[in-house]
Amino acid sequence: MITLEQIKQDFQKEWQGMHSLADMEKIKIAFLGKKGIIADQMKLLRDVPAADRAQRGQDLNRLKQEITDKITEQNNRFLEQEEEKLMDKQWLDISLESAYNLAGALHPVTHMRRKLEDVFLSMGFQLLKGNHVETEYYNFEALNIPKDHPARDMQDTFYLGENRLLRTHTSSIQIHGMKKLGAPLRVIGSGKVFRCERVDASHESCFHQLEGMLVDEDISLAHLKYFIDTYTKAVFGSNTKMRLRPAYFPFVEPGLELDLNCMLCGGKGCSACKQTGWIEVMGCGLVHPNVLQAGDVDSKKYSGFAFGIGVDRFAMMAYGIKDIRLLYNGGIPFIQSFA
Ligand code: FA5
């Protein structure tokens, strides 16, 4: 049997020589383990005279608790130290700038689409939503392009079966708009369109258009010209050089195309404008009576104009983007330069 004083002294001695968690584990086993000193002394209680046994038992329990407390306290200290060491090892300076600025930025086409939409909304146009997947009827037939019309060749696309296709232009919004709202009306609608296209600096197979239509009584080309002047000035300022050329679209009569003097080369000629100094940005014209009728609008009472703006080309001109493919190559630094 060992005296409590002796056990305390032995523990103290061991404790002073303890430097690590592993050392402490050994001390714990030696003193508190199942075969440790305290457990041994507990077993020996039966040899203690009955009068002293209870006291000895209480003293041993108290000592056991003191040692347990000390070990728990030290264990926590060791854990804290370990954690600090780990943090030192994995230290990270969060004030350093990261390789990429991860804040997002709006795509230049989105910037331009919103700018154009705002201009037309301020002129009383209503924004409609179109569908990427259209029926042949809305994309072609209702726009005066019957099945065997050669104009379909210029707008080949993915056919999805059951007379459905990926829309080749936003002009189907004209028919949906008239059917939904009747005349008079002022609507715009924008989004992606899809075509089988030979891709180059100004042509993509998926690009963006913004469609517009105004239907009312006695609408003429003069009204169309007024709106073209107003919205191009709002986007590019009043010194924009542009020209309107006659063009053919089965859904308008007469039909026109709007060219901007190429802002990428100042009109000198570049790959975006195909060395002509001009870039085509919009088709437009007075709505064909067959189209008004397809939209359930009385073509004897009403007339109107419609236009389809190439949003990507507008963005190219406004933001100095020399090649349309840059808009779709997914380059993060390119997009972020528009943040
Ligand atoms: C049309 O798509 C007609 N729906 C526009 C229209 C609407 C005419 C209403 C009359 C009345 P076009 O195929 O020309 O027309 O396309 C219109 C504009 O979209 C073009 O002026 C051009 O700016 C843009 N665009 C056409 N094809 C591409 C292409 N492959 N890549 C990028 N932009 C294109």
Side-chain angles (χ1 to χ4, degrees):
M1 197 156 329
I2 317 172
T3 63
L4 288 184
E5 208 40 52
Q6 187 60 52
I7 300 173
K8 279 184 191 170
Q9 276 176 19
D10 289 350
F11 177 78
Q12 211 51 40
K13 207 169 139 202
E14 294 288 333
W15 196 249
Q16 273 158 9
M18 183 265 298
H19 298 293
S20 66
L21 195 64
D23 290 347
M24 196 184 72
E25 278 304 313
K26 279 185 200 150
I27 298 175
K28 188 177 169 186
I29 293 166
F31 283 84
L32 302 178
K34 272 188 196 155
K35 291 180 185 163
I37 296 170
I38 301 280
D40 280 353
Q41 295 306 305
M42 287 290 192
K43 278 178 210 149
L44 294 176
L45 276 178
R46 57 178 179 262
D47 302 332
V48 176
D52 301 331
R53 199 178 295 146
Q55 186 58 50
R56 169 89 179 166
Q58 280 172 19
D59 290 347
L60 277 172
N61 273 330
R62 200 174 310 116
L63 182 60
K64 186 179 175 187
Q65 192 55 50
E66 276 171 26
I67 293 175
T68 306
D69 290 348
K70 213 164 171 155
I71 286 178
T72 309
E73 209 176 288
Q74 184 60 34
N75 191 49
N76 289 342
R77 232 173 275 143
F78 275 133
L79 287 180
E80 272 168 31
Q81 282 168 6
E82 283 299 313
E83 218 166 278
E84 271 168 30
K85 264 192 224 159
L86 201 69
M87 278 171 69
D88 276 349
K89 223 164 112 187
Q90 299 178 342
W91 184 79
L92 181 70
D93 183 354
I94 55 164
S95 68
L96 276 180
E97 265 202 46
S98 68
Y100 292 103
N101 174 4
L102 292 175
L106 282 183
H107 193 278
V109 170
T110 307
H111 270 300
M112 181 49 72
R113 179 177 55 74
R114 291 190 179 176
K115 200 175 215 169
L116 289 165
E117 284 172 359
D118 285 349
V119 175
F120 285 106
L121 292 177
S122 76
M123 293 194 285
F125 284 73
Q126 191 175 332
L127 182 62
L128 293 185
K129 236 176 144 230
N131 314 312
H132 288 164
V133 175
E134 265 298 356
T135 59
E136 273 192 70
Y137 176 77
Y138 276 96
N139 196 80
F140 291 128
E141 271 122 272
L143 289 162
N144 206 26
I145 312 175
K147 277 209 184 310
D148 53 358
H149 199 287
R152 286 205 184 192
D153 289 348
M154 291 186 295
Q155 297 194 6
D156 198 8
T157 182
F158 288 100
Y159 284 78
L160 307 171
E162 291 169 23
N163 290 327
R164 284 169 199 277
L165 45 75
L166 289 184
R167 70 176 175 189
T168 59
H169 52 179
T170 43
S171 294
S172 47
I173 291 172
Q174 295 179 26
I175 310 295
H176 289 296
M178 286 186 287
K179 283 196 181 236
K180 192 168 174 216
L181 302 167
L185 92 162
R186 291 179 188 206
V187 288
I188 54 166
S190 61
K192 287 188 172 68
V193 299
F194 311 86
R195 288 185 196 176
C196 175
E197 194 69 81
R198 189 171 296 166
V199 172
D200 61 24
S202 57
H203 290 83
E204 257 296 353
S205 48
C206 169
F207 57 101
H208 296 77
Q209 287 188 340
L210 185 140
E211 192 78 13
M213 181 183 224
L214 184 148
V215 176
D216 212 323
E217 292 179 36
D218 298 325
I219 295 301
S220 70
L221 279 184
H223 295 104
L224 173 59
K225 177 105 185 357
Y226 165 80
F227 278 95
I228 293 174
D229 279 347
T230 309
Y231 93 81
T232 48
K233 271 181 196 150
V235 175
F236 295 112
S238 47
N239 292 328
T240 317
K241 261 171 86 180
M242 54 189 170
R243 66 183 189 190
L244 275 171
R245 287 183 287 106
Y248 174 68
F249 301 97
F251 34 99
V252 285
E253 180 58 39
L256 304 164
E257 267 171 351
L258 175 71
D259 293 341
L260 290 182
N261 194 241
C262 181
M263 297 172 194
L264 298 171
C265 61
K268 289 195 195 89
C270 64
S271 56
C273 65
K274 297 210 167 62
Q275 312 303 330
T276 65
W278 294 93
I279 186 151
E280 181 209 314
V281 289
M282 180 181 87
C284 58
L286 293 186
V287 183
H288 195 288
N290 290 353
V291 175
L292 291 172
Q293 280 155 27
D296 302 329
V297 166
D298 181 351
S299 61
K300 293 209 171 60
K301 183 172 177 197
Y302 291 104
S303 51
F305 65 71
F307 55 84
I309 300 173
V311 183
D312 308 66
R313 292 192 191 168
F314 256 67
M316 289 169 71
M317 294 297 114
Y319 309 131
I321 300 162
K322 291 189 184 330
D323 194 310
I324 196 169
R325 287 166 287 201
L326 287 168
L327 294 171
Y328 299 105
N329 68 6
I332 290 174
F334 170 77
I335 300 298
Q336 283 192 325
S337 64
F338 296 92

